[in-house]
Amino acid sequence: MASAFRLQCHCILIFLAALKGETRYLEARGTGEDEPFLLPSADLKRELTGRQLYHRALRCIDMLSVEGQFTFTAEQPQLHCAAFFIGDPEELITLDYDFVNIDCQGGDFLKVFDGWILKGEKFPSSLDHPLPTSERYIDFCESGNIRRSFRSSQNVAMIFFRVHEPGNGFMFTIKKNANLFPCNVISQTPTGRFTMVIPHQHRNCSFSIIYPVVIKISDLILGHLNSLHLKKPSTGCAGVGDFVELLGGTGLDPSKMFPLADLCQSFHGSAQMKIGCDNTVLRMVSSGKHINRVSFEYHQLDQYELENRKENSIEEFCFPSI
């Protein structure tokens, strides 16, 4: 059986791919109780093209990947609600409150979080985010009219909310802005390619893929000298200020994942690894002294690759019983 984390994350991402902002474009696939997924039927994306502002109601548990205006109105007490926002890797999320009618004194709340939280684990991790955790939360009940607009630091963000009184709720607008140097990213898809660049900045950047994958690094420039080191207790790149590491695990937080391999020397060519974890992360650590760059591509492991995980794979840590 897949882990609960994989099921939750896959539900979120499949929910995202299916919804794209509109339920009337969904077709149910014949699934059992353990696979309650939906697939998109018609071309929502084509209809959205050219539309000035997209509108729809927000659900208690929701996922948004399109720009537009979204309204939540409680029909009954809603005590445990969250909405996840995600953009392309090169996008930031901007949220503007248009209207808020909640009872803060009566226990309602509306909070934005800069990133995602799932089962207590954060992305980006506290080590990779530019703000301390306390500053990543913006509580409407505490800030009120002072903070009616929020911009994320990466391509994902979310809100938590609780509304007791039927008829109360809020409205907000989501917009996306270009990010010239994307740092922390959650991939919407199990297949893709990406180039991460950190230009003379002392920061850490993580690219998260919530699937078992084959990842191929084709180009690595670290500002200093060539190779891939499988992690061992006494070796690695710990003493080097600039390096790339591959992480694998069953949660969302890169700082709680297992380090699988280090790359601490520049190279042009190909370094490939099969990683059968629920979550795979490529993380770049930068001292700020150089312009560091890594280009890579990835695709989800198919069943044959999962069953024949022999060389250059991390079997003992990343392959649960399937």
Side-chain angles (χ1 to χ4, degrees), residues 76-119:
Q76 59 186 16
Q78 297 283 8
L79 306 183
H80 305 286
C81 299
F84 296 82
F85 312 128
I86 189 167
D88 292 335
E90 300 85 3
E91 294 177 331
L92 301 176
I93 308 294
T94 296
L95 182 149
D96 295 307
Y97 290 121
D98 303 309
F99 170 80
V100 178
N101 178 29
I102 62 175
D103 184 5
C104 295
Q105 301 301 318
D108 292 356
F109 62 76
L110 175 58
K111 300 179 182 181
V112 184
F113 182 72
D114 192 4
W116 276 7
I117 297 181
L118 194 62
K119 296 188 69 174

Side-chain angles (χ1 to χ4, degrees), residues 161-173:
F161 56 96
R162 174 184 296 167
V163 182
H164 287 85
E165 187 69 24
N168 285 357
F170 53 89
M171 177 190 298
F172 60 84
T173 299

Side-chain angles (χ1 to χ4, degrees), residues 158-289:
M158 67 184 299
I159 60 171
F160 305 91
F161 56 96
R162 174 184 296 167
V163 182
H164 287 85
E165 187 69 24
N168 285 357
F170 53 89
M171 177 190 298
F172 60 84
T173 299
I174 291 292
K175 297 178 182 177
K176 298 178 183 178
N177 307 99
N179 185 4
L180 295 179
F181 295 104
C183 182
N184 295 301
V185 173
I186 290 182
S187 175
Q188 296 188 47
T189 63
T191 301
R193 60 181 62 198
F194 189 72
T195 296
M196 181 184 293
V197 180
I198 305 181
H200 293 293
Q201 294 177 326
H202 181 41
R203 65 190 306 194
N204 307 326
C205 297
S206 294
F207 190 99
S208 175
I209 311 160
I210 309 176
Y211 301 90
V213 295
V214 176
I215 186 166
K216 181 187 295 185
I217 299 174
S218 57
D219 188 55
L220 178 60
I221 299 175
L222 290 171
H224 54 77
L225 287 170
N226 293 307
S227 88
L228 173 68
H229 304 282
L230 289 181
K231 271 280 191 178
K232 297 179 181 179
S234 60
T235 64
C237 303
V240 180
D242 302 88
F243 62 94
V244 165
E245 60 181 348
L246 295 176
L247 308 170
T250 59
L252 191 65
D253 192 327
S255 67
K256 298 179 180 180
M257 298 171 69
F258 192 85
L260 306 175
D262 280 344
L263 298 94
C264 43
Q265 296 180 335
S266 301
F267 69 88
H268 300 279
S270 178
Q272 176 176 301
M273 180 172 286
K274 295 180 182 180
I275 303 176
C277 302
D278 292 344
N279 190 10
T280 300
V281 168
L282 182 145
R283 181 172 182 262
M284 177 180 281
V285 176
S286 179
S287 66
K289 299 178 181 178

